[in-house]
Amino acid sequence: MNVLLVLPLVIPLTTAAASLLAWRRLPLQRFLAVAGAAALLAASAALLAGVWTNGIAATQMGGWPAPFGITLVADLFSAVMVVLAGVVGLAVAVYSLASLDEPRESFGYYPLLHVLLMGVCGAFLTGDLFNLYVWFEVMLMASFVLLALGGEPDQLRGAIKYVTLNLVASALFLAAVGILYGLAGTLNLADLAGKLNSLAEPSTVTALAMLFLVAFGIKAAVFPLFFWLPASYHTPPVAVSAVFAGLLTKVGVYALIRVFTLLFVQDVGYTHTLILVLSGLTMVTGVLGAAAQQEFRRILSFHIISQIGYMILGLGLAGLTTSTALATLALAGSVFYITHHIIVKTNLFLVSGVARRLGGSFELKALGGLYRGRPGLAILFLIPALSLAGMPPLSGFFAKLSLVQAGLGAGQYAIVAVALVVGLLTLFSMTKIWAEAFWKPAPADSALDSPPPDLGPRERYTLLLPIGLLAVLTVTIGLAAGPVFTLATRAAEQLVNRDAYVHAVLGGQR
Amino acid sequence: MAALLAILIGCLYAAGVYMMLRRSLFKLILGLVLLSHGANLLIFTAGGLTRAQPPIIPAGADAPVVPSADPLPQALILTAIVIGFGVLAFALVLFHRAYQTIGSDDPDELRVSDG
C-alpha cells in the first residue's frame, strides 16, 4: 500500500477528530487546524514529488485487487489538485484565526474545515465512480454546515438554494452511476475506460455522458446551471467563502475533466462540441453578471463562473482536435488555469475580507480610500486582480496564452475571440473594484474617515500573511511559468494517454 | 418486472420534480426525498433484476452457484440511503431554522440574497 496516497485523507480526518475531542479548548483547536493543514500540504507535496518521479501511483484499499476493491489513484493532475487543496487549506486556516468570530469557532468550524478538505482530497484521489459520489457527499455535508454556521438570515437563504441544487445534482449523479453500472458492470474508472469502448450501443453511452455533464456541471457552476453560486457564496464569513471559491467548484471541474478524458471519448464530435459551446457561454454570462454587481464578493463570485468557462474550454478543445500535441496543449492550459485560478481566487476573497474589516462593508459604494490608507493592501489586491484578468507576467497570462494557442491551433477562432474579450471584461471588473474600493476618496460617512482603523499586531500577521504568501505564489508561477508549464504538460500527457492510467490501476491485466 | 419498476421510478421522479416546483419549502424537501428514492430504485433496476441464488459460495466450492444475484447494486443503494438520510436530516433542520428566522415557508421570500 502506498502510504503517500492515503495520507491526504488520513491527516484531515485525524485533525478533525482531534479537534472534536478538544471541543471546549479553542486555542488547541486553532493550533490543530493550522498544524493539520500544514501537514496536509507537506504530505501532498510529497505525493506530487513521488508521482513526478515514479509515474502514476495507485493503491488498492483493503487489498482487494482492482476492479473489485476501491482504488486510490494519483496521476499528476490529481496530485497537483491535492497540493492546491493543501495550499488553500493552510492559507484559510491561518486566515480564520483572526477573521472568524468566536461563536462560529466554538461550534465546530475547524473540524468542519478539515472534513471539507478530506472530502476534496478524496474526490481528487479516488479511482472509482461510486467512491467519488461518497467523497462528494462528505465534501457537501461539511460545506452545508459551514455555509449555514452562524445562522444569519442571508446565510440561511443562500444555504437553502445551495443545499437544494447540490442535492439535485447528487441525485442525478447517483442515477448516472446506477445506469452506468447496469451498462458496463463496473464502476472502476480504469476498468470503465476499456469497457465503454466495446459496448454495443454507443448512443446510450453518449446519453449517460450528458447525465454526468449535468450532474458535474451543477457542481462546477457551468452555464446554465450556475445560479446557485452567486446566490450563496457571498453570505458566509470570508474564510468560508474563500475556501469554497478556491476548491469546491474546482472539484466539479476536476470530475468533468476526468470523466471526459478517461471515459466519454466515443462521440467527441457531439460531447466535446457541447462542452466548448458551454465554456463560451459560461465565460460570457459570468463576466457580464459581474459587470452588473456592486458588491465585492458578489463580483468575485460571478468571476468564478466566468473562469470555470476557461477551464472547461481546454477540455472541449482537447476533444475536438485530432492531433495529440494540440490536445495535450489544451489540457495543459486547463490544468495551468485551474492551478492559477485556485490561488488567485482564494486570495481575492481573503483581500475582500480585509477590505471589509477596514472599510466596514462589502458594498463598493461604502468603501473607498483604501489605497491612501493602506497602500500595501492595495498592492496585494492588485497582484491577484491583474493576474485574474491575464496581465503578463502574472500567472493568469500564461494560463490564457496556452489556451489561446491551443484554440488557434485547433481552428476554433470564435471561442478564442470570446476568451480574449472576456479577459478584457474581467480587467474592467477588476478596475471597477480598484477604482471604487481603493482609489476613490472614502465616502464621508464611512468608517474609513482617516486614519483607517488599525489592525492589531496579531491580526496583521494572521490576515496579511496568507494573502502575501498567495500573492508571492501568483508572481512565482508567472515568473517561473516554464517549470510550472512543464508540470501541466506532463499532467496533460497523462490525461491524453489513457493507457498509462489504466495500466497503473489494473496492472498487466489487459 | 423491470418495466413496472421503470414506470414507478418515472412516477417518483415526476412527483419529486412537481413537489420541488411548489411554492413551499416543506414540499421542496418532500420532492428531494422522492428524487433520492427514485435514484436508489434506479440503481436497483439498472443493476439487473434476476431470480437467482444469493451470491454466497457454498462450503467446499470455490465459486458461487449460478445464477447468483449481483450484490453490488444493493451495497451501493445501502450506502446511498445512509448518505441520503443524513443529508435530508440536515436539510430538514436547516429549512426549519430558515422558516423560523425568515418567518415564511415561501421560496419566493428567499430572493433577497440574489439581489
Side-chain angles (χ1 to χ4, degrees), chain A residues 130 133 137 141 144-145 148 151 153 156-157 159-161 163-164 167-168 171 174-175 178-179 181-182 187 231 234 298, chain B residues 13 20 25 28 32 39-40 42-43 46 70 72-73 76 79-80 83 86-87 90 94-95 98 101-102 109-110 113-115:
Chain A
F130 192 78
Y133 165 76
E137 295 299 311
M141 202 64 208
F144 291 166
V145 187
L156 294 174
R157 288 191 181 100
I160 285 181
K161 295 164 200 165
V163 168
T164 309
L167 288 186
V168 172
L174 194 58
I179 300 174
Y181 181 76
L187 289 174
H234 65 282
R298 223 176 268 186
Chain B
Y13 268 92
M20 293 182 70
L25 287 182
L28 181 59
L32 286 173
N40 288 341
L42 182 65
I43 301 178
D70 184 353
L72 196 74
L76 299 185
T79 316
I83 293 176
V87 172
F90 173 77
L94 173 74
F95 281 39
T101 310
I102 301 164
E109 297 293 318
L110 302 175
S113 86
D114 279 342

Side-chain angles (χ1 to χ4, degrees), chain A residues 460-476:
Chain A
R460 185 179 306 230
Y461 285 116
T462 46
L463 292 180
L464 294 183
L465 191 69
I467 297 178
L469 286 181
L470 289 178
V472 168
L473 214 50
T474 311
V475 177
T476 316

Side-chain angles (χ1 to χ4, degrees), chain A residues 9-89:
Chain A
L9 307 178
V10 172
I11 291 174
L13 180 64
T14 320
T15 315
S19 315
L20 281 178
L21 290 176
W23 186 259
R24 285 179 194 288
R25 297 167 64 186
L26 264 185
L28 183 58
Q29 277 198 40
R30 293 186 185 125
F31 169 76
L32 280 171
V34 175
L40 174 64
L41 180 58
S44 59
L47 174 67
L48 180 61
V51 177
W52 175 260
T53 44
N54 304 329
I56 302 175
T59 240
Q60 318 296 340
M61 291 291 98
W64 290 91
F68 303 110
I70 289 173
T71 314
L72 292 185
V73 203
D75 61 354
L76 271 176
F77 183 35
S78 303
V80 167
M81 298 301 283
V82 174
V83 170
L84 289 168
V87 171
V88 172

Side-chain angles (χ1 to χ4, degrees), chain A residues 1-2 63 67 116 120 158 190 194 204 221 237 252 281 284 322 324 359 387 394 404 437 494:
Chain A
M1 195 167 85
N2 191 339
L116 183 78
V120 170
T204 327
L281 290 170
V284 173
T322 45
T324 318
S387 177
L394 297 165
V404 165
Q494 290 180 351

